[in-house]
């Protein structure tokens, strides 16, 4: 299974040309690149965010442990490292779809991935990866997507980062409003979903390598075995795996957005030695912390 670190690499495998010099964002219209015939891709993973809107698409999608067929007026969300696969069966005559990829860096230097999860909870692992829209919501999203697509492909405009960032923020905030008003999203279907949500919130706040599952369970006032059972059931991942993901998210944020020495970063993340942090980071990211800092 392929893990994509760059939006351009994923687009290349899909036969779509990326725009040089714009590594943090891309949007395309599905009908411009995918023919009306069966086509499948995946499973794959990436360490950036993916958002799709589709209407009139007969497509089978799997994101994490969720399988769905977003035939009409649906938005799907894929968060970093979720395993995703999809199969396009056919387009209807009046189909319309957009896919966009982005990193939080586009939205400002002060926003890291953990802050992003707090601001836009529909990207959290415990939530459903698809949201169905009513007619009014669809029209608003289509209008915004069309404008965003036009601005991104306008070779004459000079304010690319600020313009795209502004429109993307509007799209994300609009979805936030739809998500909050959706009856299916406002409440948890069971106690397991509520605990998984609480666990992710604790991870966002703590994100510390030194904390064990028993520590997190104690903060939630439940047993470690119960925490393991419900988190695996809801997210498809173990509490340990989720904790590691959030430690890595925080590590990457500290490395890319601060000039703190590795020893200080390691200490903030709960490592007793910088060398232990470096080994952990390389094992999970495939490169050393110093090499990661030098990435564009």
């Amino acid at each position: 299974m392929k893990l994509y670190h760059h939006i351009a690499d994923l687009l290349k495998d899909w036969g779509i040309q990326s725009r040089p010099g714009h590594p943090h964002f891309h949007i395309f219209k599905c009908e411009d690149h995918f023919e009306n015939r069966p086509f499948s891709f995946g499973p794959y993973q990436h360490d950036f965010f993916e958002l799709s809107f589709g209407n009139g698409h007969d497509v089978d999608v799997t994101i994490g442990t969720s399988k769905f067929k977003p035939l009409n007026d649906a938005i799907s969300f894929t968060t970093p490292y979720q395993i995703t696969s999809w199969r396009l069966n056919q387009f209807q005559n009046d189909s319309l779809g957009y896919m966009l990829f982005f990193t939080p860096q586009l939205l400002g230097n002060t926003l890291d991935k953990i802050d992003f999860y707090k601001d836009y909870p529909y990207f959290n692992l415990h939530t459903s990866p698809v949201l169905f829209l009513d007619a009014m919501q669809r029209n608003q999203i289509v209008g915004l997507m069309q404008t965003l697509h036009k601005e991104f492909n306008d070779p004459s405009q000079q304010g690319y980062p600020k313009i795209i960032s502004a429109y993307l923020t509007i799209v994300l905030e609009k979805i936030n409003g739809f998500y909050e008003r959706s009856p299916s999203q406002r409440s948890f279907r069971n106690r397991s979903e509520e605990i998984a949500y609480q666990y992710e919130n604790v991870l966002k706040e703590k994100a510390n390598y030194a904390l064990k599952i028993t520590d997190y369970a104690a903060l939630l006032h439940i047993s470690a075995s119960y925490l393991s059972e419900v988190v695996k059931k809801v997210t498809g991942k173990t509490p340990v795996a989720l904790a590691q993901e959030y430690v890595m998210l925080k590590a990457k944020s500290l490395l890319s957005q601060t000039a703190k020495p590795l020893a200080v970063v390691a200490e903030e993340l709960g490592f007793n030695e910088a060398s232990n942090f470096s080994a952990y980071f390389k094992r999970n990211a495939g490169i050393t912390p110093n090499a990661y800092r030098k990435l564009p």
Side-chain angles (χ1 to χ4, degrees), residues 80-245:
Y81 303 106
Q82 280 189 304
I83 299 174
T84 304
S85 60
W86 50 266
R87 175 180 172 81
L88 172 64
N89 300 308
Q90 65 177 14
F91 292 140
Q92 295 180 352
N93 292 334
D94 57 348
S95 68
L96 176 65
Y98 291 94
M99 294 188 73
L100 61 87
F101 307 94
F102 64 93
T103 70
Q105 288 95 315
L106 179 68
L107 303 176
N109 293 331
T110 60
L111 184 64
D112 62 26
K113 285 182 180 176
I114 293 181
D115 290 332
F116 183 87
Y117 286 130
K118 293 178 181 178
D119 290 344
Y120 304 111
Y122 47 87
F123 276 105
N124 284 335
L125 294 175
H126 78 278
T127 62
S128 170
V130 62
L131 181 65
F132 293 94
L133 309 178
D134 61 29
M136 182 191 69
Q137 294 169 341
R138 174 200 61 214
N139 292 337
Q140 291 184 42
I141 289 297
V142 168
L144 288 169
M145 290 287 189
Q146 288 174 336
T147 302
L148 188 53
H149 183 258
K150 179 180 178 180
E151 291 290 343
F152 180 69
N153 289 284
D154 182 359
S156 65
Q157 57 94 356
Q158 300 298 315
Y160 161 78
K162 291 183 179 179
I163 293 173
I164 298 303
S165 175
Y167 277 111
L168 176 60
T169 299
I170 294 172
V171 169
L172 296 174
E173 291 293 342
K174 279 289 186 182
I175 296 174
N176 238 0
F178 302 157
Y179 175 81
E180 291 297 328
R181 292 194 296 272
S182 173
S184 63
Q185 304 297 336
R186 282 202 301 268
S187 60
F188 300 105
R189 289 174 292 185
N190 50 56
R191 175 63 172 157
S192 295
E193 289 190 356
E194 183 178 5
I195 290 174
Y197 172 79
Q198 292 172 343
Y199 178 59
E200 281 202 76
N201 281 339
V202 170
L203 289 177
K204 293 170 198 171
E205 180 182 355
K206 305 295 182 182
N208 192 291
Y209 174 77
L211 291 177
K212 308 302 180 186
I213 298 306
T214 51
D215 299 317
Y216 290 119
L219 290 170
L220 296 174
H221 307 291
I222 58 177
S223 69
S225 60
Y226 185 46
L227 177 62
S228 298
E229 176 186 344
V230 299
V231 169
K232 176 69 174 178
K233 176 182 178 181
V234 173
T235 69
K237 299 185 178 183
T238 67
V240 172
L242 282 180
Q244 290 175 340
E245 287 186 12

Side-chain angles (χ1 to χ4, degrees), residues 256-275:
S256 62
Q257 299 186 45
T258 76
K260 294 178 179 180
L262 285 187
V264 175
V265 173
E267 183 178 359
E268 288 192 27
L269 292 168
F271 292 87
N272 54 13
E273 296 286 346
S275 59

Side-chain angles (χ1 to χ4, degrees), residues 246-262:
Y246 277 100
V247 168
M248 287 298 295
L249 286 175
K250 185 174 181 180
K252 290 179 178 179
S253 297
L254 290 172
L255 291 170
S256 62
Q257 299 186 45
T258 76
K260 294 178 179 180
L262 285 187

